[in-house]
Amino acid sequence: MAFNLHGHFFGSMPALVTPFAGESVDYETLDALVEWQIESGSAGIVPCGTTGESPTLSLDEHHDVVRRVVTQVAGRIPVIAGAGSNDTATGRAHIREAADAGADAVLVITPYYNRPDQAGIYAHFSAIAEASDLPVILYNVPGRTVSDVLPDTVAKLATIPNIVAIKDASGDVTRVTQAMASCPDDFTVLSGADELTLPMMLLGARGAISVTANVAPHLCADMMIACRDARWAEARALHDRLYPLHMAMFASPSPAPVKYAMKRLGRLPADGVRLPMVDCDADARRAIDAALAHAGLA
């Protein structure tokens, strides 16, 4: 499938979990998750992001997961491969592997731990874009990375032809308006914070890379369609139904809550996460159970 975010993309995409069987990636379950997402109306799939536990996947596992997802999707919807690193050279290597696997675009996080200034962030993403034959989506989540792509830097990066979008998890919905005012018309803002997706869509975002879509893909997809069609009352009702689930997905460090919820729904045979992540505690499980019930899922 040809993939071009410029004006041709809108919808809900899961930041897909990586299922494990003991110490190994469970590829059969991964295949089943991909099929469920497509059947549920998801507009794309994002393997090997934060929710996919990319920090604790080996390089071989990272690249194998991307290849397996691309193979299973078989061109039916776009695959946006996580390709971020705090090392620019490693990010470029991830991009080469993603392109070779047949991914449609790459999602690249701001460098974490190093804490580059805006000049360093611009240089990092410029080098990434130069090395990429695929569309590049910036990923800004300063709460995790302690590295914030400020609006002026986003505007400069958006002039690079293959930097086509940003997944914004800054928590500042006004960033949507700022991007729309300062970036090219075909630059896309995607929500990276489920609880803020509705207001971001109202301000002009075009979709979401979602944690909750792992658990409730059809509801998340339906909300995106309601937004697209300007059926805002329906979108609000779906948001209200999903809101406790959005918040419960971070009742413990992610992705333990989403994996627990998916196991409860029979979508994962095991909810194990890799250290240093640990399973949900009892309080988190109660919050997730209540949110699943509120959403009508369990």
Side-chain angles (χ1 to χ4, degrees), residues 88 92 95 121-132 157 160:
T88 306
R92 288 164 68 128
I95 287 170
I121 289 171
Y122 180 83
H124 169 78
F125 281 118
S126 297
I128 289 288
E130 182 182 355
S132 179
L157 288 167
I160 298 173

Side-chain angles (χ1 to χ4, degrees), residues 16-19 25-34 65 68-69:
L16 196 67
V17 300
T18 302
V25 175
D26 182 351
Y27 288 103
E28 290 187 7
T29 297
L30 183 65
D31 291 345
L33 293 179
V34 169
V65 166
R68 186 72 171 231
V69 169

Side-chain angles (χ1 to χ4, degrees), residues 134-262:
L134 297 174
V136 175
I137 301 172
L138 313 175
Y139 179 18
N140 191 32
V141 55
R144 283 188 178 271
T145 64
V146 199
S147 177
D148 190 0
V149 191
L150 296 178
D152 287 348
T153 305
V154 173
K156 288 174 60 181
L157 288 167
T159 66
I160 298 173
N162 62 332
I163 295 182
V164 300
I166 184 168
K167 174 187 175 182
D168 191 289
S170 68
D172 181 357
V173 297
T174 67
R175 296 279 181 100
V176 181
T177 301
Q178 291 170 310
M180 294 186 69
S182 62
C183 297
D185 289 344
D186 55 6
F187 187 78
T188 295
V189 178
L190 301 169
S191 170
D194 282 305
E195 72 278 10
L196 297 178
T197 293
L198 180 60
M200 290 179 71
M201 296 297 290
L202 186 61
L203 290 171
R206 297 177 183 168
I209 296 178
S210 167
V211 175
T212 304
N214 281 284
V215 180
H218 62 294
L219 295 177
C220 292
D222 287 350
M223 194 183 91
M224 290 293 99
I225 293 168
C227 291
R228 181 195 64 196
D229 296 341
R231 290 182 278 113
W232 296 111
E234 183 178 340
R236 169 68 184 273
L238 286 163
H239 167 81
D240 290 348
R241 182 175 171 185
L242 287 166
Y243 182 79
L245 192 58
H246 295 331
M247 304 311 292
M249 291 301 91
F250 295 91
S252 287
S254 182
V258 67
K259 283 191 160 182
Y260 169 76
M262 293 174 75

Side-chain angles (χ1 to χ4, degrees), residues 86-134:
N86 65 334
D87 168 29
T88 306
T90 299
R92 288 164 68 128
H94 282 323
I95 287 170
R96 288 192 295 271
E97 291 286 342
D100 185 64
D104 298 288
V106 288
L107 178 70
V108 183
I109 199 166
T110 53
Y112 42 88
Y113 187 76
N114 315 51
R115 298 184 67 182
D117 60 13
Q118 295 303 298
I121 289 171
Y122 180 83
H124 169 78
F125 281 118
S126 297
I128 289 288
E130 182 182 355
S132 179
D133 293 327
L134 297 174

